[in-house]
Amino acid sequence: MKRRRFLKLSASACAALAALELKGTGMFRPAAASTGGSTDLPGSLGAKDIPSVCEMCFWRCPIVGKVKNGKLVKIEGNPKSPANDTRVCARGNSGIQLLYDPDRLKYPMKRTGKRGEGKWARISWDEALDEVAHNMKKVVDKHGPHALAYFDHGASAEFMRGVFKALGTENYTNEPAFFQCVGPAALAFIKSMGYITSGTRQYVDMKNAKAILLVASHIGENVHVSHVKEYMEGLDNGAKLVVVDPRFSAPAGKADIYLPIRPGTDTALLLAWMNFIIENGLYDKDFVKNHCTGFDDVKAAVKKCTIEWAAPICDLKAEDMKRAIITLADARPHVAIHPGRHATWYGKGDTSRHQALAILASLFGAVGVPGGLYFPTPVKKAHSECAECGGEPETPDKSIQEDYYPFASMFGSPTSKIIKASRTGDPYPVKLWGINGVNILQTIPNPYHTMEAINKLDFIFCEEILPTETAMWSDIVLPGATYLERFDAVYTYDLLTPYITVRQPMVKSMFETRSSYWIAGQLAKRLGMDCFQRKNIKEIVEEELQGAGLTLESLDKKGGLVPLKANPYRERKDLKFNTDSGKIALSVEDYADEDLDPVPKFIPTPAPPKGFARLIYGRVPVHTFSRTMNNSWLHNEWPENELWLNDEAASKMGLKDGDEVVLENQDGKKSLPIKLKVTPGIRPDVVYMAHGYGCRSKMLTKAFEKGASDQFVITRYENDPFMGASSHRTNFVRIIKGTKVMDIPDLCPLPPQLPRFQLKKGHTAKTGGGK
Amino acid sequence: MTSQLSSVFKLLADGFSYPGGENLSPEFFKAVKELARDCGLQTGTMDYGSQELQEEYTRLFINAPGGVAAPPYASVYVAGQGLLMQEGHAQAQEFYSRAGLQLADGQEPADFLPLELAFTAVLLERGDLVLLSEFLEKHLWRWFQVFERRVEASGPHPYYSLLVRLTLFYLNKLKEEVFDETT
Amino acid sequence: MSQLAMVIDLKRCVGCHACALACRAEWSIPVDYHRNWVYRMGPEKTPHGLSYTFYPGLCNHCDDPKCVSVCPVDPEERTFKDPKTGKKKTIAIHATFKHPFTGAVLIDKTRCIGCGSCVEACPYGARYLNEELDDPKADKCTFCVERLEAGEQPACVKTCITRARIFGDLSDKSSEVHKIVASGKAIRLTSKEVNIGPNVYYTGLKKDTHLLIKTYAPHERKWENVKAPTRRDIIMAAVRRLKSAV
């Protein structure tokens, strides 16, 4: 054996070391027994199963985590779930790559550079929370409670919402989920039918339908597992599919009848269809007579709206429109009129369009029956008082929530008005934003205004999982635990296959990430409130489960989920709606009371100016909004978006499939570069790209600047006059290739009823005088 | 002698932990400086403020525009495609478990650099040179070299540049000597 | 003889990519490679109308697998057991081989020398050489035989959100795959030039299967151009293997 000849330290080094108290060996302790999950078998075989709930999107499918040696190796659908059984979508399968993304926010951080610059220092939770609480108090003291605003998304964001509410701000919730997405549809159905037929979920029975109508719903590109499953079961059973969409979407590829409608004219089509079925007696007279009010108003309103009137407006053939409505009418009452989801298209007319869908379903008697719209099944659970905080805030003299739009307060404060108040101080200054689980810069129209508003704030903080654009702009960043590392509230599902289940951690939370409940509780404590002070959220979960006669332990023994009996349909004699009359309101008096149209009216939205096309957007099935673009597996599956351009238009412009272009909108704002997809599957007067790409946070290393962001060329919006949502399809773009600004040829002649958008001076089409 | 070296690795473990408290003390910097001198590495006055080191640590190892220069986790370097909790992590866990150990607490992944350096210190303290040799040869020494290059390539603050070079020096020495010893 | 097979119904497929990701998760496939993929086609005009459809692909476990015939590793005898009857059979196999009882085309990783011949030979691009490994090996879909043995479904089948993937034994007359294939409604990705008996079938609207065949049926007999590895390649592979075993 050789002599040991370890290097020696100098005496002074030894002395210096001896003077220190080093942590070193204290980082380890003797190993305990294994926590389960055999590692001998290949793949996920032999892993320990932990039931929970997905959060790769808000549909929240029941899942099981496969854990080996403390590491999550796979996620599958929970076989006990009657909604999705073993199925999870691409995103559900890829949750592991969110959990183990090295770009994750790991510790609380404070900004040390300029807002948006990305210079940070890690700080302790105490320092971070003290800082947030101190700033909240300071702003309230100086400007009053309404100077606080909270932007949120997702169930776990509700705890912190409670803290804002308890501080007394009327701006305790500005959910982009409503003001940028489902709001107008939700309002329309609540007012017509008395329940939220389309909100987080859509109560439409495609599984048992004989015909299905999708108006720009992209099932399959937009993946919510049980929803897609039921849609496919319906088609399998022979349901006829009618798809109305300016673009040949995935469901258009499966449609029996596809109507490539001119954007912005959907309500004209729906009114003409109502007229047609009323004139031809193709509606359910018994249902209308006994279960609806306001039929005569509707009949009068659509009197002049013939198919022939609508055909040139919608740029559709009259015979196709007739064929489609007859197909739907033949299936009544088992006809699924999909209520839609993302509804913030054109501002004016959005609520009306969804009201028109509600009326169409009602005329078919397709409500409360198999194959139609149906009722949620109430699922019993206890409500934990500990999940609440303060009382109702007082409404200020000049109110953001109440004064702009008559029905906004059903959803919160309109985001566009919060941003305006922050930029201009009108109607009062808003000085502090808290943001939870929503990337506002890739969600809300005109991100340039949003950035301007942020720069005027005294303070902005966010709770996030990844360093999004919004995190980049925050003063303090609080790192949240992912859905795979935390308990959450009890989840109930009230659609065709109801159940009760619980989200629980599969692995211990990484780094210093914390659950939203803990964060909200810590903040509340610092603000002198006594809410959210249970030891942990597990106690709340137990309390809520008690109301359903369950405990976490008993639930676990059942595989983490208990299916319940559904009650979606009603006998006609038992039909009762939660409206003033107990019937469906075809004409809505509440609207008339606010000087709004009680029955839908077609309000044309301006058509693209010459040389421009309307920008529309949608989703790819492997991504959720802008949230999943940095997920290594999902990024790999679909790294960047493409711009769909009509083949005829492209050929006239000399553009080819795969060409890289930049978009410039009516306000001169440019997109990041994007590749063309040249196809006959889109109208010449629109271009399309998937939403969520074109990330501008340099801290998201995979997603950064991949593809183009629709949001950064959506600068012009109109508000829905009913509830104040901001429109997204009111922007027009032309194409720049290299240095050449190109006009998009005008291949869809406009009828005189449709006005064109007027460009600002100096920004006209090239052919009309140049740039 | 191994217990002296054990202290060195404890020091390095603390050095690669987030700067705050003890590892920002003049005594700590003094020890680093003494070790650097032993290794023939140049040092300046080492009069560093907490803010500059915290910002730099955050940029190099936690979150930064363009991605952190050198994530301090083995998994990122060992056939893990830049991800956490992959093969490199499993290797670290395997070594700890063979030594009859597990992490005391905290939420850091097992392959976090300070933990691996602390583990090296434990093995030195125990004199378990057989396991140490394997741990270095198959794991820590392998990935640390790439890590060191990535830190150096990112234009680091002189303090972290010194720490990575110092660590590499001791790892190289240790590997040479322990490997010779055990083969 | 049994033959495991899959039918993918393009009428049901919505192109969601869950199959590709479940496979990646189950077998920890590095992102640069895949065993299972979804390619998108269209919207494009076909004689049967505008089509927008998908090519969910995987190894075809062919009747006449050219990847097996090009494998340069010397055959060795191995005894196989019929999972259904327990009957045994001994045959000589290369490093990649067709299982005599299930018809699955598999790779013996302990004998694969990583020469990449099979990867080049496959007209479907279903194989890859995993160069992330110190000792690169060929890899591809196994129809999840390991999972089948444990009573599980293939990962892609288990996750498919519309149940578009139908999996079973073609020789079993009661199986759904047999019924669909026997009905003559299913098509395969073959051409005049390349027809090696793929065991993944597709059904769907005429426009969609038309576009699928037009776009993805292989025409190049790639296996005919595979150069056998040189002696040097083989020796280098052996050295690599020894090194990584140390």
Side-chain angles (χ1 to χ4, degrees):
Chain A
M1 201 173 158
K2 286 179 207 162
R3 214 178 75 80
R4 294 181 182 217
R5 48 186 178 79
F6 282 119
L7 64 137
K8 277 189 191 164
L9 305 189
S10 64
S12 51
C14 284
L17 279 172
L20 293 173
E21 262 192 57
L22 296 165
K23 289 194 271 307
T25 42
M27 294 176 182
F28 291 90
R29 63 180 161 88
S34 156
T35 49
S38 157
T39 46
D40 305 339
L41 292 165
S44 68
L45 295 171
K48 187 176 162 193
D49 281 2
I50 299 170
S52 188
V53 180
C54 189
E55 185 81 56
M56 290 299 280
C57 83
F58 44 76
W59 201 256
R60 302 188 187 118
C61 299
I63 50 176
V64 284
K66 306 268 176 181
V67 177
K68 282 186 177 179
N69 214 358
K71 184 191 164 190
L72 181 62
V73 296
K74 198 176 178 216
I75 296 166
E76 294 183 354
N78 185 343
K80 298 283 178 194
S81 164
N84 63 311
D85 54 66
T86 61
R87 310 163 206 212
V88 276
C89 71
R91 294 160 295 163
N93 269 295
S94 303
I96 298 169
Q97 301 304 317
L98 171 65
L99 179 64
Y100 299 141
D101 186 343
D103 290 342
R104 266 186 81 169
L105 293 167
K106 305 172 184 76
Y107 314 95
M109 296 199 298
K110 70 170 180 213
R111 177 173 62 79
T112 56
K114 281 195 308 232
R115 278 186 181 144
E117 187 188 5
K119 260 179 111 179
W120 301 96
R122 172 182 167 182
I123 53 176
S124 69
W125 269 106
D126 274 336
E127 188 182 344
L129 292 160
D130 287 347
E131 185 81 358
V132 172
H134 167 77
N135 278 286
M136 289 176 95
K137 272 191 253 180
K138 206 166 93 183
V139 165
V140 173
D141 286 349
K142 199 164 157 202
H143 303 280
H146 302 296
L148 308 176
Y150 183 57
F151 296 82
D152 54 329
H153 186 253
S156 55
E158 283 173 22
F159 299 120
M160 200 185 283
R161 185 192 294 170
V163 176
F164 275 80
K165 198 172 169 187
L167 283 171
T169 173
E170 67 163 345
N171 306 311
Y172 62 86
T173 176
N174 319 291
E175 268 198 278
F178 282 101
F179 292 103
Q180 268 61 241
C181 191
V182 76
L187 175 66
F189 279 89
I190 291 171
K191 289 292 175 192
S192 293
M193 298 196 174
Y195 74 103
I196 188 161
T197 318
S198 180
T200 302
R201 307 184 188 287
Q202 288 68 48
Y203 301 86
V204 55
D205 182 8
M206 294 183 286
K207 180 179 176 176
N208 297 297
K210 294 187 173 152
I212 300 170
L213 171 67
L214 301 179
V215 180
S217 282
H218 309 134
I219 300 177
E221 293 170 2
N222 169 17
V223 175
H224 306 135
V225 174
S226 56
H227 202 63
V228 179
K229 173 176 169 259
E230 287 168 11
Y231 154 78
M232 194 49 60
E233 283 165 345
L235 295 185
D236 255 359
N237 292 335
K240 294 275 182 272
L241 178 63
V242 176
V243 171
V244 179
D245 202 316
R247 177 179 65 93
F248 197 79
S249 61
K254 300 186 188 304
D256 295 278
I257 300 172
Y258 164 60
L259 301 173
I261 194 166
R262 187 196 310 273
T265 66
D266 310 79
T267 305
L269 171 70
L270 294 169
L271 297 178
W273 277 352
M274 287 178 207
N275 170 291
F276 186 84
I277 58 177
I278 292 171
E279 293 299 321
N280 291 284
L282 295 174
Y283 65 103
D284 190 324
K285 292 178 190 105
D286 167 75
F287 186 89
V288 167
K289 186 165 158 241
N290 296 316
H291 305 290
C292 302
T293 61
F295 176 71
D296 293 339
D297 295 346
V298 170
K299 191 174 170 182
V302 301
K303 195 157 176 38
K304 289 185 183 150
C305 302
T306 60
I307 295 268
E308 288 67 28
W309 163 79
I313 293 175
C314 302
D315 197 13
L316 294 170
K317 289 196 190 100
E319 64 198 73
D320 292 344
M321 294 163 70
K322 279 185 196 159
R323 198 158 52 92
I325 189 62
I326 290 169
T327 301
L328 296 172
D330 282 351
R332 71 186 187 278
H334 308 291
V335 49
I337 304 295
H338 195 289
R341 182 190 190 96
H342 174 74
T344 53
W345 297 357
Y346 308 110
K348 291 185 189 73
D350 286 340
T351 298
S352 301
R353 183 180 61 248
H354 291 269
Q355 188 192 0
L357 288 167
I359 296 171
L360 191 62
S362 308
L363 293 178
F364 285 145
V367 185
V369 288
L373 300 173
Y374 63 86
F375 297 101
T377 299
V379 179
K380 216 176 108 195
K381 65 167 185 176
H383 185 71
S384 172
E385 275 181 20
C386 208
E388 299 253 318
C389 217
E392 283 302 312
E394 278 174 34
T395 304
D397 295 340
K398 280 192 262 168
S399 167
I400 290 178
Q401 211 181 86
E402 306 275 349
D403 291 357
Y404 289 101
Y405 307 103
F407 303 102
S409 61
M410 288 165 68
F411 307 101
S413 301
T415 49
S416 63
K417 297 303 172 200
I418 295 287
I419 290 167
K420 185 176 152 225
S422 309
R423 281 172 59 225
T424 65
D426 176 33
Y428 53 75
V430 169
K431 288 296 187 187
L432 180 147
W433 289 4
I435 302 168
N436 198 330
V438 53
N439 186 9
I440 53 171
L441 287 167
Q442 292 286 8
T443 306
I444 299 176
N446 207 334
Y448 307 96
H449 275 175
T450 310
M451 290 187 276
E452 193 188 314
I454 292 174
N455 270 330
K456 294 205 167 158
L457 296 174
D458 289 354
F459 188 73
I460 172 172
F461 73 98
C462 75
E463 179 188 331
E464 253 301 351
I465 287 166
L466 290 170
T468 59
E469 285 87 340
T470 304
M472 290 274 284
W473 280 80
S474 294
D475 298 333
I476 295 276
V477 172
L478 308 174
T482 66
Y483 68 102
L484 301 163
E485 304 163 286
R486 64 175 198 238
F487 277 103
D488 255 341
V490 170
Y491 285 97
T492 57
Y493 179 87
D494 55 3
L495 280 82
L496 285 182
T497 50
Y499 57 77
I500 183 164
T501 187
V502 163
R503 174 173 295 144
Q504 47 185 329
M506 298 174 177
V507 290
K508 64 175 194 191
S509 59
M510 307 251 308
F511 310 107
E512 282 189 4
T513 61
R514 297 282 187 271
S515 77
S516 298
Y517 181 78
W518 183 88
I519 297 171
Q522 290 292 313
L523 206 50
K525 200 157 85 184
R526 281 166 171 79
L527 291 163
M529 303 168 190
D530 60 357
C531 47
F532 309 134
Q533 298 307 320
R534 292 295 164 87
K535 198 171 88 224
N536 54 43
I537 189 171
K538 207 168 157 181
E539 292 184 12
I540 293 185
V541 169
E542 288 284 16
E543 207 176 308
E544 291 193 349
L545 280 176
Q546 258 174 31
L550 291 164
T551 62
L552 266 173
E553 201 188 335
S554 72
L555 191 67
D556 257 357
K557 284 201 181 116
K558 295 173 202 284
L561 180 146
V562 177
L564 302 161
K565 201 171 165 303
N567 183 23
Y569 314 128
R570 302 286 184 276
E571 294 287 332
R572 284 253 163 123
K573 62 178 170 48
D574 302 330
L575 264 178
K576 185 156 173 28
F577 293 88
N578 190 20
T579 53
D580 290 345
S581 62
K583 298 180 178 186
I584 294 175
L586 298 180
S587 172
V588 178
E589 276 174 40
D590 286 1
Y591 298 160
D593 292 347
E594 300 289 345
D595 292 329
L596 295 162
D597 293 320
V599 289
K601 203 165 111 188
F602 171 60
I603 306 164
T605 188
K610 285 226 155 117
F612 287 72
R614 185 184 303 276
L615 174 66
I616 61 171
Y617 50 82
R619 298 175 62 182
V620 294
V622 306
H623 286 298
T624 301
F625 316 139
S626 63
R627 268 165 54 178
T628 55
M629 273 58 189
N630 207 59
N631 181 298
S632 99
W633 288 351
L634 297 173
H635 169 76
N636 178 65
E637 212 64 28
W638 209 315
E640 52 189 76
N641 54 356
E642 305 162 301
L643 185 80
W644 290 40
L645 177 66
N646 174 268
D647 55 354
E648 205 183 321
S651 129
K652 286 197 159 47
M653 297 167 78
L655 292 171
K656 298 184 308 296
D657 198 64
D659 281 352
E660 191 175 86
V661 300
V662 164
L663 300 182
E664 183 189 31
N665 79 358
Q666 72 287 331
D667 296 325
K669 293 292 182 195
K670 292 192 178 76
S671 74
L672 289 170
I674 183 168
K675 292 202 182 76
L676 283 182
K677 175 189 175 83
V678 172
T679 169
I682 187 161
R683 291 173 54 90
D685 53 356
V686 292
V687 292
Y688 163 89
M689 68 167 88
H691 169 71
Y693 288 93
C695 166
R696 306 215 174 190
S697 168
K698 287 181 183 164
M699 298 206 284
L700 292 170
T701 52
K702 285 177 281 291
F704 180 61
E705 291 192 347
K706 294 285 165 29
S709 163
D710 54 346
Q711 211 66 54
F712 279 76
V713 277
I714 298 180
T715 48
R716 177 182 171 267
Y717 62 88
E718 293 185 26
N719 291 100
D720 177 284
F722 291 73
M723 57 74 68
S726 309
S727 71
H728 287 55
R729 299 189 181 171
T730 41
N731 287 259
F732 309 101
V733 293
R734 57 183 169 186
I735 286 175
I736 302 174
K737 170 128 191 287
T739 53
K740 203 168 149 202
V741 183
M742 305 175 93
D743 280 352
I744 296 173
D746 186 17
L747 301 176
C748 305
L750 280 183
Q753 300 95 311
L754 300 181
R756 260 188 212 285
F757 178 75
Q758 296 299 313
L759 287 168
K760 280 179 217 143
K761 265 205 178 134
H763 197 86
T764 48
K766 229 170 28 118
T767 46
K771 204 185 154 189
Chain B
M1 222 37 90
T2 51
S3 79
Q4 274 186 7
L5 267 182
S6 174
S7 302
V8 171
F9 278 90
K10 283 183 204 168
L11 175 99
L12 294 172
D14 282 9
F16 281 105
S17 299
Y18 191 66
E22 180 82 10
N23 67 0
L24 283 177
S25 66
E27 295 77 19
F28 192 89
F29 290 136
K30 180 163 190 295
V32 173
K33 203 168 173 164
E34 290 296 340
L35 289 178
R37 185 157 46 202
D38 276 14
C39 305
L41 296 171
Q42 295 289 323
T43 60
T45 52
M46 295 191 63
D47 183 17
Y48 305 133
S50 62
Q51 166 108 356
E52 62 177 313
L53 290 188
Q54 288 177 345
E55 269 181 29
E56 179 64 351
Y57 187 99
T58 306
R59 180 186 81 89
L60 287 172
F61 306 129
I62 300 179
N63 286 107
V68 297
Y73 311 97
S75 170
V76 169
Y77 305 88
V78 184
Q81 306 211 323
L83 296 173
L84 302 174
M85 301 293 281
Q86 308 300 308
E87 180 57 25
H89 176 265
Q91 284 177 8
Q93 262 187 334
E94 173 73 17
F95 279 109
Y96 302 163
S97 117
R98 281 171 61 191
L101 294 173
Q102 68 179 49
L103 300 184
D105 60 359
Q107 294 171 302
E108 295 295 345
D111 59 344
F112 185 38
L113 179 61
L115 294 171
E116 298 210 348
L117 293 169
F119 181 67
T120 307
V122 173
L123 295 182
L124 281 165
E125 207 164 64
R126 287 183 180 179
D128 189 346
L129 301 184
V130 177
L131 192 59
L132 180 59
S133 158
E134 200 183 328
F135 178 65
L136 294 176
E137 185 74 16
K138 290 198 171 159
H139 186 74
L140 177 55
W141 181 78
R142 264 187 159 191
W143 74 265
F144 190 86
Q145 295 178 86
V146 189
F147 172 82
E148 189 262 351
R149 283 199 296 275
R150 280 175 59 169
V151 172
E152 288 287 55
S154 71
H157 186 283
Y159 179 62
Y160 286 105
S161 169
L162 177 66
L163 272 190
V164 285
R165 282 180 290 137
L166 196 58
T167 308
L168 187 64
F169 176 87
Y170 279 106
L171 281 176
N172 278 335
K173 275 278 182 248
L174 197 58
K175 184 186 156 277
E176 262 168 45
E177 298 185 2
V178 175
F179 194 69
D180 286 353
E181 183 75 15
T182 54
T183 48
Chain C
M1 190 188 96
S2 301
Q3 174 62 57
L4 294 174
M6 194 178 290
V7 178
I8 300 178
D9 183 353
L10 297 181
K11 269 207 311 253
R12 285 189 195 154
C13 177
V14 293
C16 78
H17 297 234
C19 46
L21 273 313
C23 176
R24 188 175 295 293
E26 183 65 42
W27 301 114
S28 307
I29 311 293
V31 287
D32 297 337
Y33 309 114
H34 57 220
R35 284 183 177 190
N36 192 313
W37 60 88
V38 178
Y39 298 149
R40 308 176 79 83
M41 293 167 283
E44 196 176 314
K45 287 175 187 141
T46 77
H48 314 284
L50 201 54
S51 165
Y52 184 23
T53 191
F54 320 102
Y55 169 31
L58 63 163
C59 171
N60 282 294
H61 299 269
C62 300
D63 294 339
D64 179 14
K66 298 300 182 186
C67 50
V68 170
S69 33
V70 300
C71 179
V73 174
D74 292 336
E76 253 179 49
E77 286 207 334
R78 204 164 116 188
T79 303
F80 291 90
K81 203 165 114 186
D82 187 339
K84 280 191 290 193
T85 62
K87 215 174 76 183
K88 285 185 181 167
K89 195 170 182 178
T90 301
I91 54 168
I93 57 164
H94 295 278
T96 186
F97 59 96
K98 192 166 173 73
H99 192 288
F101 292 112
T102 62
V105 174
L106 301 171
I107 299 167
D108 178 353
K109 295 276 175 74
T110 59
R111 291 167 62 223
C112 173
I113 60 167
C115 69
S117 297
C118 57
V119 176
E120 281 177 55
C122 176
Y124 299 98
R127 289 174 171 251
Y128 66 92
L129 189 66
N130 187 352
E131 301 200 64
E132 300 252 320
L133 302 172
D134 292 339
D135 179 18
K137 304 280 183 195
D139 192 55
K140 66 177 225 16
C141 161
T142 62
F143 269 158
C144 280
V145 284
E146 303 88 335
R147 289 171 59 83
L148 298 180
E149 279 165 24
E152 273 280 5
Q153 295 171 296
C156 59
V157 175
K158 194 174 182 187
T159 204
C160 178
I161 68 169
T162 57
R163 291 289 175 260
R165 301 170 91 93
I166 302 145
F167 180 71
D169 181 356
L170 263 187
S171 71
D172 173 0
K173 294 223 158 86
S174 67
S175 73
E176 209 182 330
V177 282
H178 174 86
K179 285 178 195 162
I180 297 167
V181 170
S183 76
K185 282 182 194 146
I187 59 119
R188 300 200 263 187
L189 286 179
T190 58
S191 64
K192 208 162 74 235
E193 301 82 8
V194 177
N195 190 354
I196 54 176
N199 282 302
V200 175
Y201 293 77
Y202 296 87
T203 58
L205 297 173
K206 212 162 184 185
K207 58 179 185 173
D208 296 338
T209 52
H210 173 95
L211 187 57
L212 175 65
I213 291 192
K214 184 187 141 203
T215 318
Y216 287 110
H219 293 274
E220 196 187 340
R221 297 166 68 87
K222 294 176 87 175
W223 62 90
E224 290 178 352
N225 300 321
V226 174
K227 281 198 207 89
T230 61
R231 256 194 90 68
R232 190 172 171 278
D233 293 339
I234 293 173
I235 290 167
M236 288 306 289
V239 171
R240 243 186 356 245
R241 221 168 351 148
L242 272 174
K243 259 184 156 169
S244 77
V246 169

